[in-house]
Amino acid sequence: MEILDCAIIGGGPAGLNAALLLGRANRLVALFDTNNDHFAFELQESISRNGNAAIEFMQVAREKLNQYPNIHSIVGQNVRVIKQSDNKLFKIYTEDGENFLAEKILLTDGAKIQTDIPDFEQYYNKSIFRSPYSYGWELKGKKLIYINETRDVTLTAKVIHNLSNDLIVATNGNEITENEKRELENKGIHVITDKIKEMKGHNGLLSSVVFQNGLEIEREAGFITPSTYTTNIIGQGFSCDLDKHGLIVVDYFGRTSEKNVYAAGDAAQPAPTEIVLSEATGIKVAMTINSDISMEKF
């Protein structure tokens, strides 16, 4: 069985760019696009792709990778990765029964928001977003909600306030200091610490938010900073360290705490994560992987 230099788990912006760089560096690569949480909206924050549909970007990127015979692109296959007994290789199993061996693993399968807000997924990436830089222009002047489940509330709230004066901040049951609350309310930003009971709307478009105390406030859209995330390394047998938010801990170069396992993109950095920044982390960690292989095999 041919041994891959690197298997990339996750076909988002970080994984695609990492595959391209490693392939062009003459490395044998397989990109496993598991189709987890791919976006079906437009790319707004990058001048090179402003207004382009993300799904079209993904398709064009895959076509470019297919030009390189040393880059294998496996689309729509969930995978299982097992470290071999010699601790030098990883075996990758796909749903359709294919097997691969790889020396390095790059995890770019993203991180999913973990929140107890009922039916939140119906509105995520349709009218509730992670970053005000992605859809701030489209939502300016609207009735907005900023949900922040962490202790770092005010900075992003100030950024969003520049988009709309009709803003409420909801902590979904989490505490906020009196100084933070006073600073926001002095600007007319209503702060609600009660838990969110329900989000109302149609076809992913938010219309109102209901709180446990019975208060219902009309809202058209908003943003969220969750307290925790989940990554797809759970159940894969990896022992990578995770931070307090559930993201994979990496060093500056993208190396995890587990030898020969790297991570990039959403799985290894906190929100807000812009697509161009995810691309950059994929490029940087691919350079690290290529350098590591070069040093080991020279």
Side-chain angles (χ1 to χ4, degrees), residues 28 146 148 150 205 216 222 248 261:
L28 184 60
Y146 173 45
N148 187 309
T150 75
L205 300 180
E216 181 173 352
I248 302 170
V261 179

Side-chain angles (χ1 to χ4, degrees), residues 1 32 74-80 91-101:
M1 182 183 296
F32 298 90
I74 294 92
V75 179
Q77 289 287 315
N78 285 316
V79 300
R80 187 162 53 97
K91 193 164 188 177
I92 301 98
Y93 300 85
T94 66
E95 283 180 318
D96 64 3
E98 284 191 278
N99 297 330
F100 299 84
L101 286 174

Side-chain angles (χ1 to χ4, degrees), residues 251-292:
D251 65 12
Y252 177 79
F253 301 99
R255 301 183 185 98
T256 73
S257 59
E258 185 165 343
K259 186 175 176 56
N260 295 324
V261 179
Y262 306 75
D266 288 5
Q269 57 186 346
T273 301
E274 313 306 322
I275 289 171
V276 289
L277 297 182
S278 287
E279 291 181 316
T281 66
I283 293 170
K284 183 168 75 170
V285 75
M287 293 172 68
T288 299
I289 293 170
N290 189 52
S291 295
D292 287 351

